[in-house]
């Protein structure tokens, strides 16, 4: 039995937080021409929910593609990124409606309504394929303690 779906989504949310903070801190360092070594990354509580559910969908796509169709890794990566962009755009539109959207890519190249940017495609591609590995590992963990219970004779 795999780790409970809610626990996996919780882990995916935390993992997304970590990845986003790491990415933004490194991206800020590069954008400062390696002058800002404070490594200040940032995220938002909204990201926790977005990463949790978004990564769960990638897990489900991975399982479907693994079990029913063979898709080469580069194709899977592109398909995952398409999902990420649809999810980020949808969430961004909803959050923007409530004046709660914590990101704005208007100053980035190749942005769509300031909510997604193709500039991050390589990072999303790598992160999505990494998500396959994380999901595959979590799905192998077991909560079943039946083998360790004492059997009465």
């Amino acid at each position: 039995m795999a780790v409970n779906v809610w626990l996996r989504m919780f882990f995916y949310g935390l993992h997304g937080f970590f990845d986003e903070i790491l990415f933004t801190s490194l991206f800020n360092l590069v954008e400062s021409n390696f002058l800002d070594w404070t490594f200040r990354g940032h995220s938002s509580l909204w990201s926790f929910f977005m990463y949790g559910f978004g990564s769960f969908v990638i897990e489900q796509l991975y399982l479907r593609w693994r079990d029913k169709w063979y898709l080469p890794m580069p194709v899977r990566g592109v398909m995952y990124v398409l999902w990420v962009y649809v999810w980020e755009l949808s969430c961004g539109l909803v959050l923007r409606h409530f004046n709660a959207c914590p990101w704005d890519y208007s100053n980035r190249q190749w942005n769509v309504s300031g909510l997604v940017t193709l500039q991050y495609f390589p990072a999303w591609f790598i992160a999505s394929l990494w998500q396959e590995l994380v999901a595959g590992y979590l799905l192998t963990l077991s909560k079943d303690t039946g083998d360790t219970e004492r059997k009465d004779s």
Side-chain angles (χ1 to χ4, degrees):
M1 175 194 311
V3 174
N4 177 288
V5 64
W6 296 108
L7 189 56
R8 291 195 319 269
M9 287 176 58
F10 180 76
F11 179 83
Y12 295 151
L14 292 178
H15 190 270
F17 261 157
F18 172 78
D19 290 348
E20 184 167 38
I21 291 169
L22 178 66
F23 175 79
T24 55
S25 65
L26 292 173
F27 199 83
N28 291 340
L29 175 67
V30 171
E31 278 195 325
S32 74
N33 291 321
F34 299 93
L35 297 174
D36 182 3
W37 286 85
T38 59
F39 287 107
R40 279 184 248 172
H42 56 274
S43 190
S44 163
L45 187 56
W46 294 116
S47 296
F48 173 79
F49 301 107
M50 290 173 58
Y51 284 121
F53 181 77
S55 295
F56 176 73
V57 170
I58 288 176
E59 169 194 293
Q60 295 303 302
L61 291 171
Y62 164 67
L63 291 173
R64 184 165 311 245
W65 293 337
R66 182 192 68 182
D67 295 340
K68 300 201 188 236
W69 305 302
Y70 171 75
L71 288 177
M73 183 266 299
V75 174
R76 291 192 317 268
V78 169
M79 299 296 283
Y80 294 145
V81 174
L82 290 175
W83 158 247
V84 167
Y85 282 144
V86 166
W87 181 236
E88 186 176 30
L89 182 65
S90 301
C91 290
L93 287 170
V94 170
L95 290 171
R96 189 180 276 172
H97 179 75
F98 294 102
N99 199 28
C101 188
W103 70 92
D104 182 4
Y105 300 135
S106 296
N107 62 340
R108 302 276 179 218
Q109 294 179 343
W110 313 306
N111 78 79
V112 177
S113 299
L115 296 173
V116 297
T117 176
L118 297 178
Q119 184 179 12
Y120 293 162
F121 184 92
W124 283 124
F125 185 85
I126 292 167
S128 296
L129 291 172
W130 172 250
Q131 177 59 31
E132 266 191 5
L133 296 174
V134 171
Y137 177 72
L138 284 179
L139 290 167
T140 64
L141 297 178
S142 175
K143 297 187 318 175
D144 186 10
T145 59
D147 294 337
T148 62
E149 291 179 12
R150 192 178 81 165
K151 298 190 170 56
D152 293 328
S153 44

